[in-house]
Amino acid sequence: MTQTDFSTLTGLLSQYSPSGKEHDAVDWLVKRMKSLGYEQAFIDEAGNAVGVMGTGQKQLVLLGHIDTVPGEIKLVQDANLLYGRGAVDAKGPLACFVDAVARIGKKEGWQFVVIGAVEEERDSDGARFVLENYKPDFAIIGEPNRWDRIALGYKGTAWSKVSVKCGQAHTASGKQTAAEAAVEAWLIIKSHVDAFNVNKKKMFDKLLLTLSGFASDSNDFEQWANLKIGVRLPVDVSPADWYQKLNNLLKNTETYIALTEPTGSALPAWKGEKNTSLVRAFLKSIRQLGGEPRFVYKTGTADINIVAPVWECPAVVYGPGDSTLDHTPFEHIELEEFSKATDVLVATLTTLVTV
């Protein structure tokens, strides 16, 4: 194992960069990549940090994200642990990408592109911008899944506002209120999800439903209630399928009208192929370093959901860190794990360019 320099990791973590405020971290990373010998390092039109090594026709894109959720965490090292916002999600994986490509250097016939994308924690503006600017032969997306695991699946997501309206009535009339109708609407949706999930053993194959908001009010003639509903989607249910099902479940009745309005950016689920040269290279590298590689399928979403369907190339999600620490106030990464992940990535890229 090569002795690891943690300067990229600590430098990135020292730059607090919640979504929308990434510029200082991006500027720092561009300067860092230049100092590491990248042939090009620049800020693109979306505000992403981009580093390029090599000019070959074969292209490998390593896409991480440089933004974090809000909540600054003081950069502190405690023995083998390094605390800081983004240590896991996902500056750790991004720093791993930067350092690994710097160690590989320029390889004949190849071009490595490392991207620190902005806005991943919101609407993924950075990843959406790079879609049409690159057409890689391979793609590696940076998210924490431990050094010895490869993620080959991320669930989709869809959010919607369900609005229930009905006419005003005296409380002694016994008629259903808008708030009661909204509860009924929620139970109808939940019943459908429960039925869909019957006999599905894996979380990756289930619909995961969330009620994250409820509000009701009225005026002189009308009352209404709004539900904010989210769902994590399996591969066999697209966002369009889900919205159509919602509308079918909540058809108008005599007592109330329920309207479904999609909100936010919906994403379909993604599931990658196991039998690719990229996956085989990762498996070989992890075993060489004494690990027992495993595949994981995540219940969240990532930039892989956006880029993989467009790029249509072998792709995986890789990066050091314990994803259960994502967004938490005690986010930290094990330095030994970061070192191992960087070694795995160096070995993987070396294998790919020599095949």
Side-chain angles (χ1 to χ4, degrees):
M1 183 181 297
T2 303
Q3 184 67 35
T4 303
D5 178 0
F6 299 108
S7 299
T8 304
L9 176 62
T10 56
L12 266 179
L13 294 182
S14 70
Q15 303 290 324
Y16 180 51
S17 55
S19 301
K21 298 180 180 179
E22 303 98 332
H23 183 268
D24 288 348
V26 168
D27 187 60
W28 183 91
L29 184 57
V30 167
K31 291 175 181 176
R32 174 64 177 169
M33 289 191 287
K34 287 179 179 178
S35 73
L36 289 171
Y38 279 71
E39 294 182 304
Q40 299 178 56
F42 58 93
I43 302 174
D44 69 18
E45 294 177 25
N48 300 320
V50 181
V52 181
M53 186 78 79
T55 58
Q57 290 187 344
K58 288 189 176 181
Q59 185 182 74
L60 192 153
V61 171
L62 301 99
L63 174 64
H65 68 89
I66 200 165
D67 66 313
T68 69
V69 295
E72 190 168 5
I73 300 173
K74 185 178 180 180
L75 181 61
V76 174
Q77 183 175 345
D78 180 7
N80 185 48
L81 304 180
L82 186 64
Y83 288 79
R85 176 60 75 208
V88 172
D89 187 19
K91 291 181 177 181
L94 176 57
C96 173
F97 288 0
V98 172
D99 287 350
V101 169
R103 280 170 52 183
I104 287 286
K106 185 176 179 179
K107 295 295 182 181
E108 184 177 354
W110 283 85
Q111 181 183 72
F112 301 119
V113 181
V114 178
I115 303 170
V118 298
E119 293 281 330
E120 191 274 348
E121 297 290 357
R122 296 203 293 201
D123 291 325
S124 291
D125 291 348
R128 294 180 193 280
F129 176 81
V130 303
L131 277 179
E132 304 303 326
N133 293 301
Y134 303 96
K135 188 62 178 176
D137 297 277
F138 300 98
I140 304 173
I141 312 304
E143 292 288 349
N145 287 304
R146 293 294 194 182
W147 75 274
D148 55 356
R149 304 200 304 180
I150 308 163
L152 284 180
Y154 276 75
K155 293 182 78 73
T157 184
W159 285 90
S160 57
K161 181 177 77 171
V162 174
S163 300
V164 177
K165 297 181 180 181
C166 63
Q168 193 61 275
H170 196 284
T171 55
S173 68
K175 291 185 178 180
Q176 188 180 48
T177 66
E180 292 168 343
V183 172
E184 180 182 330
W186 164 252
L187 293 175
I188 289 171
I189 297 167
K190 189 175 184 303
S191 176
H192 164 73
V193 169
D194 290 343
F196 179 92
N197 290 338
V198 169
N199 298 326
K200 291 182 172 62
K201 297 181 180 180
K202 297 179 180 179
M203 293 292 285
F204 189 72
D205 297 326
K206 295 181 178 182
L207 289 167
L208 303 181
L209 190 65
T210 301
L211 175 62
S212 64
F214 182 99
S216 63
D217 205 345
S218 64
N219 58 28
D220 293 340
F221 299 102
E222 191 177 51
Q223 52 182 281
W224 59 87
N226 297 322
L227 304 171
K228 184 179 180 182
I229 294 175
V231 65
R232 297 289 183 174
L233 301 167
V235 173
D236 56 351
V237 180
S238 70
D241 293 337
W242 172 251
Y243 289 132
Q244 182 177 5
K245 174 57 68 173
L246 274 186
N247 286 325
N248 289 339
L249 289 171
L250 303 177
K251 288 181 180 179
N252 295 353
T253 73
E254 293 182 0
T255 56
Y256 66 88
I257 299 174
L259 301 174
T260 301
E261 177 186 351
T263 60
S265 299
L267 290 172
W270 170 81
K271 187 176 182 180
E273 295 293 330
K274 289 183 179 180
N275 189 22
T276 69
S277 56
L278 178 61
V279 170
R280 291 193 295 271
F282 266 108
L283 298 179
K284 176 184 176 182
S285 300
I286 292 169
R287 291 189 180 108
Q288 285 177 340
L289 284 159
E292 183 61 39
R294 289 175 290 163
F295 297 115
V296 293
Y297 297 87
K298 305 303 287 287
T299 56
T301 57
D303 280 342
I304 190 77
N305 297 71
I306 295 171
V307 300
V310 176
W311 286 345
E312 296 183 321
C313 65
V316 302
V317 180
Y318 183 74
D322 179 357
S323 61
T324 64
L325 299 174
D326 288 4
H327 304 185
T328 65
F330 41 87
E331 185 176 2
H332 62 271
I333 191 167
E334 297 178 8
L335 293 176
E336 182 180 358
E337 181 175 10
F338 177 86
S339 183
K340 284 184 177 180
T342 306
D343 288 342
V344 165
L345 191 52
V346 169
T348 298
L349 297 182
T350 300
T351 296
L352 280 177
V353 301
T354 56
V355 170

